Amino acid sequence: MAGDDVLSDGSEGGRPDEPRERFEDVDWDAIDADGRRLTNTGLAAVAAGIGYALALAYDLAVAGGDPTLDAAVDVPWRSAPATVVWDATAVDWLFAATLLAGGFALVPLARNRRLRGYYWRRFRRHTPAVIGLWYLLAIFLLGTVGTLFIDQPSLNLAATYQPPIFASVDASIPAECVGPVVDGRCHGTWKYPLGTTGEGKGLLALAIFGMRVSMQVGLIATSLSIAIATLVGTTAAYAGGWVDEALMRYVDVQQTFPTFFLFLFLAYLYGGSLFVLVVIFGVTGWGGIARIVRSEALQRREELYVEAARASGASGLSIVRRHVVPNVSNSIVTAATLNIPFLVLSEAALSFIGLGDVTLPSWGQTIAAGRGDLATAWWISTVPGLFLFATILAFNFLGDALRDALDPRQEV
Amino acid sequence: MTDGSRPGAVSPPNPDPPLLDVRGLVKHYPLTEGLWNRDVGRVRAVDGIDLTVERGEAVALVGESGCGKSTAARAALRLDEPTDGTVRFDGEDVTAYDRGALKRFRRRARLIFQDPDSSFDPRLSIGESVAEPLSVHGMDDRNRRRRLVEGTLERVGLDASDADRFPHELSGGEKQRAALARALVTDPDLLVADEPVSALDTSVKADILELLARLRDELGLGVLLITHDLGVVAEFCDRVAVMYLGEIVESGPVEAVFSDPGHPYTRALLGSVPVPDPGVAREPTGLVGDVPDAADPPSGCRFHTRCPEVIPPDEYDLEGDVWRRLFRFRLRVSGESPADRDDIVALASTELDPAVAPEDVEDDALRAAVRRAFDLPERLSDLAAESVLERAVGLLVDGEQDAAVELLESEFRTVCESESPAKRRTGADREAACHLVGEADAGADRSLGAEPTSETD
C-alpha cells in the first residue's frame, strides 16, 4: 500500500497545472447559496413518475373501455405481424408501479459494483437458490412479456383432453385426437406441448398466463406490504414515544383481523377480483414485517454511524433513508421473499375454491378445473400444480440464500 | 440572545471571542415512572460546567467513566438539547440557532467517536461515508465529492483507493483515520474527539495522536478531547478540565495542573496513572469505589464520599488519616442496608475468633472486631471523638443501626458535605473547586483551621 501511495503521489504531483481541490478550498457559502439540485436518479424517478401518471390518465380518459395498447409488431419468425392487444387492468397498473418502484429501489445496489459483486459471491454459494433465481426470472419474463405475444386460450371443443407431448391416453378420452393415434392411444403433439383441458385450452398457455397472475399477486401485494411496513416500522422506531406506541398497538389490532373473511365478504359483495385480492392482502398483511423492521431499526438507531450522520447535520428523514432502511433491508428482503409464496399460495387456494377472478386463468383455477378429471386426464391439475410447487420452493430457497448473503456482519 | 454581535465592551482584553465558550452548561435527564411518566427526579449528568476552547487549542476534558464528559460534549454541540446554560461558538449563541444555522454549525464543529468499528455504516464504502457530510451540506457534484474525499483520505495517511473499500476491510487504526477524514472534510474549526484512541493499540494510538497533532497545527483546529487517559492529555493537550460527577473540579494549563494538582480528585487521578516502572515508589491514591449515582449526587462537594483528603471537623483533634477512616466508617454504616446484630457479626467475622460460635460472641469482642473490620484504631487520641465512636459502635453491636447512623452523622460532620466549594483561582488561568484550596494560592495552605467559612458564592 505504501508503494501505491508513492505512485499516486507522483502522478498527482506530475500535474502542476491542475492542483487537486483541498477541503479547505471549498467555498461553502457558494454551495449554501446554490441550493439543492436533484440527482440524476432523482430526475429519472420524477420523469418515470410523470410518465406513469400520463399513461394512467390516457388509459382512464382516452382509451376508456378500448384496449390500451393495440399495435402490430413485426416478429421475424412469423409471416404476418403479431398484433399486441393489451387492455391494461387496474392490476396491471399496480404491477407497473410496483416494477418501477422496485427498479428504483435497486438503483443504489446496481450502481455499487463492488457491493453487488460481494452479495453475488455470497449468494452464489447456494446452488438451489441460484437455480431458483433463474427459474423465477424465466417465470417472471414469460408472465410479463410473454403473455403480450400469445393469445389467451379459449374454448376449443375440437381439442379437449389432449395429452402432453410424449404422453398418451386412451383414444376414447379426447373428443378428437389432434395428434397421431397409435394402437388405440392418442399421443400428444407439439401444438399442445403440455396437453389441454377439458375445454380444449392449451395448458402451456394457461400456465404462462397463470405465471402472470401469480407474479402480480405476489409482487404487488408484497411491495404494498413492504412499503407500508417500512414506513410504519422505521417511523415507530425513529420517532419513539407515543407514536411508536400508537403504531404498534394498531399493528396488534390489525394482526387479529381476519383478512380471509374480509376477502370473502368483499368477494360476496363485488365478486372476486384480482384487484381486490391484491389490495386486501397488501394493505392488511404488513403487520409482521413492520414489527421486524421496527425492532431492527431500533437497534440501528443506536449505532454510531447514525450518530455520526446526525452530528454531520443530516435530517431524521435522510438518516432513515440512507442508513436505517438500507441496514434493515436484509430483514425486509427476507421477509418479502417469504411473504410472496404465502400470497401465491393463498391466491391459488382462493381460486381453487372458486373465490378468485373466474375470468383469469390462474393456476389455482386450472388445478380446480382438472380435479374432476384426475383419473382420466391427470395432466390438467398436475401441470399448474408443478409450476406452483416449483415457484413456492424457488422463493423459499431465494429467501434463505438472501438472508445469508445480505447480512454484512457475517464475515466470510 | 439576539445574535452573534461581538461582546466587545464586555471583554476588552480579548477582542476575539473564543472558538467555543461554554457557560453554566446543564444537562439533566428526567427520571420518569409509571404509566403517566410521573417525574421522580433527574439525572444530573452535567450540572453547570464552564469550558472554553480557543482557536488552534487542544483542551482535554478528563474524568472517570460516567462522570458526564461525553454528555457535556454532546450538549455543547446541541446533539442533545442542553437543559440550561449558554454555548457560544465563534461569538454566536449556539443555543439560539435555528435549523439552518445549526446545520451550518454542524459543518464547522465536528465529532469523532471512540469506537471506529460501529461509526461506519457497514453498507457504505469508506468513500461514501466520508463524503456523506459533503452531500448533507448540499454538495451535489458527485465527482467533486470524490476528489475531495480522495484528497482528504491521503491527508490522513490512507490511500485514495481506500475510498472503495468497505469498513470491515479496514483495521481499527485505518478506520479511525477515515473517521478523522470524515470529520475534516467539511473544513471544521472545532473537532470534538470523544475518546478517539481508547479503542486502539498503543502503537496505533501514538500514530493517530501524532496525525491529530499535525492536522491541528496545519488547520488551526480547536480540539476538545474527551478522555480518561491522562497520558494522552499530557502528550497532546494545552489545557485540561477535570470533571467529576457533572461538575468541573479543576481546570488549567496541562503542565501546571499535572505538576501541581490543586484538587484531591486530580491528585487521585494522576496517582492512578500506571507507571511502567514497578520500582517507582508510589503512595496509594485512595480513590476507592465507583462514581456515585448522578441521579442522587452527594451533598456539598460531590467528591467528599470518595475524597482521600476530606476535611475533619474543627471540634475534634484528629490526624488526617484517622479522620478519613472514621469518615469512611460513617459513610459505610449509613450506606449499609438495615443490619441487625447477626449481620454485624457476619460483617466482622474475619476479625473474630473462629473458635467461638457466632451466637456466643461477647459484646466486647464484637466491638473490637467491628473496629478492626472498619480499619479503625483501638482508641482515638481525641477523647470526645472516642466517646462518640464508642457509643456508635455500641449501638451498632446492639443492632440499632439507625441510632448509630444518626449519632455518627450529627457528630462527625465535615464542611465538604455541607457546603459546595466555590471555584477559586489557583494560579494563572487555573481554577479549582475545593475547600482545601485558597484563593490564588494553590496548595500552600492545606491546614484545616485556615478553612474559611465560605459562602456558596
Side-chain angles (χ1 to χ4, degrees), chain A residues 163-196:
Chain A
I165 187 92
F166 304 134
S168 61
V169 70
D170 194 286
S172 62
I173 289 170
E176 252 175 79
C177 188
V178 177
V181 180
V182 181
D183 296 341
R185 291 189 73 80
C186 174
H187 285 260
T189 59
W190 279 109
K191 190 160 184 231
Y192 299 109
L194 298 177
T196 62

Side-chain angles (χ1 to χ4, degrees), chain B residues 107-170:
Chain B
R107 193 159 75 211
R108 299 182 58 195
R110 307 283 290 136
L111 184 61
I112 59 177
F113 302 96
Q114 171 176 5
D115 183 5
D117 294 325
S118 87
S119 67
F120 283 97
D121 188 332
R123 281 177 201 277
L124 296 183
S125 69
I126 293 295
E128 286 171 302
S129 280
V130 174
E132 183 177 23
L134 296 176
S135 46
V136 163
H137 289 283
M139 191 187 283
D140 297 321
D141 183 347
R142 209 178 156 78
N143 296 323
R144 188 180 183 193
R145 288 203 300 259
R146 175 77 188 195
R147 282 197 303 274
L148 283 170
V149 165
E150 288 185 350
T152 311
L153 284 177
E154 280 172 5
R155 284 172 74 177
V156 297
L158 292 172
D159 201 275
S161 65
D162 288 337
D164 288 325
R165 294 166 80 196
F166 281 91
H168 65 84
E169 300 172 312
L170 265 59

Side-chain angles (χ1 to χ4, degrees), chain B residues 28-319:
Chain B
H28 290 177
Y29 293 99
L31 286 172
T32 55
E33 207 172 68
L35 191 60
W36 307 111
N37 287 337
R38 200 156 39 87
D39 203 341
V40 292
R42 37 196 52 230
V43 177
R44 299 158 174 275
V46 177
D47 218 2
I49 66 163
D50 300 339
L51 200 65
T52 53
V53 181
E54 300 284 348
R55 258 158 250 282
E57 186 187 38
V59 176
L61 191 57
V62 300
E64 288 163 283
S65 325
C67 70
K69 303 172 299 222
S70 300
T71 312
R74 294 174 48 85
L77 293 182
R78 266 186 79 185
L79 284 169
D80 279 338
E81 271 323 301
T83 312
D84 198 11
T86 58
V87 178
R88 292 189 159 270
F89 182 75
D90 212 2
E92 295 176 11
D93 188 356
V94 172
T95 47
Y97 275 158
D98 60 9
R99 268 175 83 101
L102 190 62
K103 193 168 172 183
R104 286 192 291 280
F105 168 66
R106 299 256 176 270
R107 193 159 75 211
R108 299 182 58 195
R110 307 283 290 136
L111 184 61
I112 59 177
F113 302 96
Q114 171 176 5
D115 183 5
D117 294 325
S118 87
S119 67
F120 283 97
D121 188 332
R123 281 177 201 277
L124 296 183
S125 69
I126 293 295
E128 286 171 302
S129 280
V130 174
E132 183 177 23
L134 296 176
S135 46
V136 163
H137 289 283
M139 191 187 283
D140 297 321
D141 183 347
R142 209 178 156 78
N143 296 323
R144 188 180 183 193
R145 288 203 300 259
R146 175 77 188 195
R147 282 197 303 274
L148 283 170
V149 165
E150 288 185 350
T152 311
L153 284 177
E154 280 172 5
R155 284 172 74 177
V156 297
L158 292 172
D159 201 275
S161 65
D162 288 337
D164 288 325
R165 294 166 80 196
F166 281 91
H168 65 84
E169 300 172 312
L170 265 59
S171 72
E174 285 172 328
K175 264 182 267 198
Q176 204 58 308
R177 282 173 194 270
L180 196 55
R182 176 171 61 185
L184 292 178
V185 78
T186 54
D187 189 25
D189 299 310
L190 175 71
L191 182 68
V192 176
D194 191 350
E195 305 269 13
V197 293
S198 306
L200 304 175
D201 294 345
T202 318
S203 59
V204 180
K205 190 192 257 188
D207 289 346
I208 297 284
L209 279 178
E210 200 181 313
L211 172 70
L212 204 54
R214 204 189 71 220
L215 288 167
R216 180 187 136 207
D217 287 347
E218 217 173 284
L219 304 168
L221 205 57
V223 179
L224 179 61
L225 184 81
I226 297 158
T227 182
H228 61 263
D229 186 340
L230 299 185
V232 171
V233 177
E235 207 174 307
F236 181 76
C237 294
D238 306 311
R239 281 192 308 118
V240 59
V242 183
M243 202 164 163
Y244 184 78
L245 211 54
E247 291 176 339
I248 286 183
V249 295
E250 181 166 14
S251 64
V254 170
E255 251 173 64
V257 170
F258 280 15
S259 61
D260 178 26
H263 196 281
Y265 181 59
T266 317
R267 277 195 283 282
L269 278 184
L270 283 167
S272 59
V273 174
V275 179
D277 179 359
V280 171
R282 306 183 45 173
E283 48 188 286
T285 63
L287 198 55
V288 287
D290 290 325
V291 180
D293 186 1
D296 182 22
S299 62
C301 172
R302 291 188 176 175
F303 188 50
H304 83 259
T305 52
R306 299 169 72 204
C307 184
E309 297 170 45
V310 63
I311 299 167
D314 291 343
E315 52 268 40
Y316 304 115
D317 179 23
L318 292 166
E319 277 174 56

Side-chain angles (χ1 to χ4, degrees), chain A residues 58-320:
Chain A
Y58 166 80
D59 188 27
L60 289 177
V62 183
D66 300 333
T68 318
L69 196 68
D70 190 349
V73 181
D74 274 318
V75 186
W77 62 85
R78 279 208 208 170
S79 48
T83 48
V84 176
V85 181
W86 181 34
D87 187 12
T89 60
V91 174
D92 290 332
W93 282 112
L94 276 182
F95 196 46
T98 301
L99 295 182
L100 271 181
F104 279 105
L106 287 176
V107 163
L109 184 64
R111 195 182 264 164
N112 196 330
R113 205 163 45 80
R114 288 206 47 197
L115 199 63
R116 207 174 55 209
Y118 175 72
Y119 288 152
W120 175 243
R121 276 195 305 282
R122 292 168 58 105
F123 179 78
R124 213 170 42 185
R125 291 192 301 229
H126 300 256
T127 315
V130 175
I131 297 170
L133 180 68
W134 291 121
Y135 168 77
L136 289 173
L137 271 178
I139 293 269
F140 174 76
L141 287 175
L142 277 175
T144 50
V145 185
T147 48
L148 292 180
F149 294 97
I150 58 172
D151 297 326
Q152 193 149 338
S154 53
L155 189 67
N156 180 5
L157 292 176
T160 55
Y161 297 118
Q162 299 300 318
I165 187 92
F166 304 134
S168 61
V169 70
D170 194 286
S172 62
I173 289 170
E176 252 175 79
C177 188
V178 177
V181 180
V182 181
D183 296 341
R185 291 189 73 80
C186 174
H187 285 260
T189 59
W190 279 109
K191 190 160 184 231
Y192 299 109
L194 298 177
T196 62
T197 65
E199 294 175 316
K201 295 178 178 177
L203 272 172
L204 180 64
L206 276 179
I208 289 175
F209 274 93
M211 291 170 193
R212 172 147 116 191
V213 175
S214 290
M215 285 290 148
Q216 285 181 333
V217 170
L219 295 183
I220 300 172
T222 300
S223 344
L224 269 178
S225 291
I226 287 179
I228 302 174
T230 307
L231 193 70
V232 170
T234 51
T235 306
Y238 207 78
W242 65 266
V243 176
D244 184 16
E245 198 68 20
L247 288 174
M248 285 302 118
R249 291 301 78 76
Y250 171 72
V251 168
D252 289 346
V253 172
Q254 191 192 274
Q255 294 278 76
T256 64
F257 193 82
T259 307
F260 178 69
F261 289 106
L262 180 66
F263 179 74
L264 280 189
F265 181 65
L266 288 173
Y268 175 73
L269 279 183
Y270 305 108
S273 88
L274 194 62
F275 183 78
V276 169
L277 184 127
V278 159
V279 171
I280 295 283
F281 274 97
V283 172
T284 58
W286 50 268
I289 308 179
R291 281 223 192 98
I292 297 172
V293 170
R294 172 182 170 270
S295 69
E296 283 265 319
L298 274 179
Q299 292 171 32
R300 301 293 162 264
R301 200 185 64 161
E302 302 301 320
E303 297 275 358
L304 275 183
Y305 53 78
V306 167
E307 188 67 33
R310 227 159 71 75
S312 296
S315 64
L317 187 67
S318 75
I319 288 174
V320 167

Side-chain angles (χ1 to χ4, degrees), chain B residues 323-352:
Chain B
W323 157 243
R324 240 176 346 265
R325 284 189 243 168
L326 210 51
F327 190 65
R328 195 156 298 143
F329 169 63
R330 196 204 101 178
L331 292 176
R332 275 192 63 188
V333 170
S334 57
E336 211 66 54
S337 51
D340 57 17
R341 192 171 190 276
D342 291 343
D343 295 327
I344 301 296
V345 170
L347 195 74
S349 59
T350 51
E351 307 294 334
L352 286 167

